[in-house]
């Protein structure tokens, strides 16, 4: 039985907490990325780009999420047979959001991931927001091309967590947005 993310977080205990249905994934992805837009609403460009030498600025966090969303969106649009040949098929039980959070939070990250923010000197807050929305909405729209069973069967690689089912990857992505939302709030303080 498939459930929504709210149910995974403890609202409903009599269902399998490892299976989150596609509509719940889409809703959670949209809500988490829009939370970031609400956080940066009304701030000026200086605050958006203000960089603490040790931590990314709000702009850099958003650029990182946009790059990640662009890559995931492209993967979700790839022919499924190509994904199966490249990454294999999932035969494992679906892992929970709690597993994803715990594993990611306890991981050691490589020094260079390829997902560092890439920003042009001609960038603007408006442009960064447009790109952020465009690629996150592209992920959500791409999920319509996936059936529930395909979300659990096909795998995609995640740098820190290894190969995840497409369903798990989207759970991770929602968590990843929340993770960087916290960093954005800190950057704006």
């Amino acid at each position: 039985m498939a459930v929504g993310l709210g149910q995974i977080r403890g609202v409903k205990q009599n269902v399998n907490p490892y299976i989150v249905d596609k509509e719940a994934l889409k809703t959670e992805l949209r809500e988490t990325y829009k939370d970031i837009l609400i956080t940066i609403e009304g701030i000026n460009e200086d605050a958006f780009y203000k960089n603490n030498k040790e931590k990314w600025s709000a702009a850099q966090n958003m650029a990182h999420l946009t790059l990640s969303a662009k890559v995931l969106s492209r993967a979700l649009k790839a022919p499924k047979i190509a994904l199966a040949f490249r990454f294999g098929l999932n035969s494992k039980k679906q892992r929970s959001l709690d597993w994803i959070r715990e594993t990611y939070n306890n991981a050691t990250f490589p020094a260079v991931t390829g997902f560092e923010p890439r920003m042009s000197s001609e960038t603007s807050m408006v442009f960064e927001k447009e790109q952020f929305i465009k690629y996150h909405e592209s992920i959500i729209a791409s999920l319509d091309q996936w059936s529930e069973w395909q979300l659990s069967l096909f795998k995609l690689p995640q740098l820190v967590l290894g190969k995840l089912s497409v369903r798990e990857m989207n759970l991770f992505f929602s968590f990843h947005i929340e993770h960087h939302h916290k960093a954005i709030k800190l950057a704006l303080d």
Side-chain angles (χ1 to χ4, degrees), residues 4-7 9 22-39 65 132-133 136-137 139-140 143 170 173-178 181 185:
L5 282 178
Q7 292 166 321
R9 295 180 184 155
K22 177 171 56 174
E23 291 307 312
L25 286 172
K26 290 167 51 177
T27 298
E28 183 71 9
L29 286 166
R30 185 169 283 121
E31 288 177 3
T32 54
Y33 95 71
K34 285 189 173 185
D35 285 346
I36 289 177
L37 295 173
I38 291 166
T39 297
L65 288 171
F132 181 79
I133 293 166
H136 285 82
E137 282 297 326
I139 292 170
I140 293 164
L143 286 171
N170 281 277
F173 207 76
S174 182
F175 160 74
H176 187 235
I177 295 168
E178 290 174 352
H181 187 196
K185 286 178 179 178

Side-chain angles (χ1 to χ4, degrees), residues 8-25:
I8 282 181
R9 295 180 184 155
V11 174
K12 191 172 182 181
Q13 298 298 322
N14 63 343
V15 293
N16 183 346
Y18 300 100
I19 306 294
V20 178
D21 68 50
K22 177 171 56 174
E23 291 307 312
L25 286 172

Side-chain angles (χ1 to χ4, degrees), residues 89-158:
L89 297 175
N90 186 42
S91 60
K92 296 179 183 176
K93 181 178 165 184
Q94 295 295 290
R95 292 167 286 196
S96 70
L97 183 59
D98 289 339
W99 178 88
I100 290 168
R101 279 187 180 123
E102 183 177 333
T103 305
Y104 188 83
N105 288 334
N106 292 324
T108 302
F109 292 85
V112 177
T113 65
F115 287 90
E116 290 76 23
R118 299 173 189 159
M119 302 177 75
S120 153
S121 60
E122 289 115 35
T123 191
S124 70
M125 189 162 75
V126 170
F127 175 79
E128 293 299 333
K129 285 167 61 174
E130 287 171 352
Q131 294 297 296
F132 181 79
I133 293 166
K134 173 184 171 182
Y135 288 109
H136 285 82
E137 282 297 326
S138 180
I139 292 170
I140 293 164
S142 296
L143 286 171
D144 288 334
Q145 306 307 310
W146 291 79
S147 69
E148 291 292 343
W149 66 270
Q150 288 172 330
L151 290 172
S152 296
L153 180 64
F154 291 90
K155 294 194 293 189
L156 293 171
Q158 202 289 322

Side-chain angles (χ1 to χ4, degrees), residues 56-106:
W56 287 347
S57 67
Q60 289 171 309
N61 275 281
M62 281 185 67
H64 167 75
L65 288 171
T66 299
L67 176 60
S68 301
K70 188 175 185 179
V71 171
L72 179 55
S73 175
R74 189 176 310 145
L76 292 173
K77 293 175 185 174
K80 292 172 182 68
I81 191 75
L83 296 176
F85 278 116
R86 178 98 190 234
F87 306 117
L89 297 175
N90 186 42
S91 60
K92 296 179 183 176
K93 181 178 165 184
Q94 295 295 290
R95 292 167 286 196
S96 70
L97 183 59
D98 289 339
W99 178 88
I100 290 168
R101 279 187 180 123
E102 183 177 333
T103 305
Y104 188 83
N105 288 334
N106 292 324

